[in-house]
Amino acid sequence: MRTPNASATLRSRIEWIDTDAAGIYHNSTVTRLVESAEASLARERSLDDYFPVAPRVRFEADFEAPLFFGQEVTTTVTVTELGRSSMVFAFEVWGEEFDGAPRVRAAKGRYVTVHLDRSGPGRPQSAPWPSDWVDRLTAS
C-alpha cells in the first residue's frame, strides 16, 4: 500500500455565526473549519466529486482552548492513512494571537471517510478509491 502525502492548511476567521452569545466558538465550528480545509485539499488534489461519495463514518475531537469572535484561525488536515475504501485524516485548529493572548491550539482530532459507489440502484456500497485519486493522494 502506498503512503498518503496529502495535507491542506486554511486560514480563516471565527464569525459571529460560529459563536455563542458570549462570542466564544461552539463545538460544531470545528467541524465546519475542518471540512473547509478538507474541501481545499480536494480542490488542490483535483478530487472531483469527492464529497458526494465520501461520508464521514467517525469524527473525534479534543477541545483544548476557546476561540473568539473575530479571531483568525489556521486549520490543517492531513491524510494519515489511505485504505482500500477508507481514509483517515488528522486535524489541528489553531487560534492565532488575539487580544494580547498568544497563538494556541484550540482543537485536534481525527476522522474517517469511506468511499461509496453510488452508481447503482438501492443503498450505496463501500468501494475502492478510484486509482487516479490514490495517485493524487500519494504524489509528492
Side-chain angles (χ1 to χ4, degrees):
M1 181 152 316
R2 291 162 50 185
T3 303
N5 183 26
S7 66
T9 300
L10 190 64
R11 188 88 175 225
S12 56
R13 185 176 302 278
I14 299 299
E15 301 296 343
W16 185 249
I17 195 169
D18 298 324
T19 69
D20 60 17
I24 299 171
Y25 84 124
H26 48 79
N27 60 358
S28 63
T29 301
V30 168
T31 303
R32 182 185 68 76
L33 295 168
V34 167
E35 287 188 349
S36 291
E38 182 184 1
S40 179
L41 185 148
R43 281 190 299 275
E44 290 171 7
R45 297 292 175 134
S46 299
L47 303 179
D48 301 329
D49 300 320
Y50 167 77
F51 280 100
V53 296
R56 282 109 201 88
V57 295
R58 181 173 182 82
F59 190 95
E60 56 189 63
D62 296 320
F63 299 94
E64 300 177 331
L67 296 171
F68 301 93
F69 171 64
Q71 186 172 9
E72 288 189 6
V73 295
T74 302
T75 305
T76 301
V77 297
T78 303
V79 179
T80 59
E81 298 175 39
L82 182 59
R84 183 185 76 78
S85 62
S86 65
M87 191 170 357
V88 179
F89 291 83
F91 68 84
E92 291 187 330
V93 178
W94 287 81
E96 299 303 329
E97 291 181 16
F98 185 74
D99 205 21
R103 183 176 198 253
V104 63
R105 187 169 67 187
K108 68 176 182 165
R110 63 190 292 275
Y111 61 102
V112 180
T113 64
V114 172
H115 182 247
L116 295 180
D117 177 1
R118 300 179 70 140
S119 63
R123 228 175 145 175
Q125 298 295 314
S126 173
W129 294 106
S131 60
D132 60 323
W133 289 13
V134 172
D135 291 344
R136 291 178 192 143
L137 291 165
T138 56
S140 296

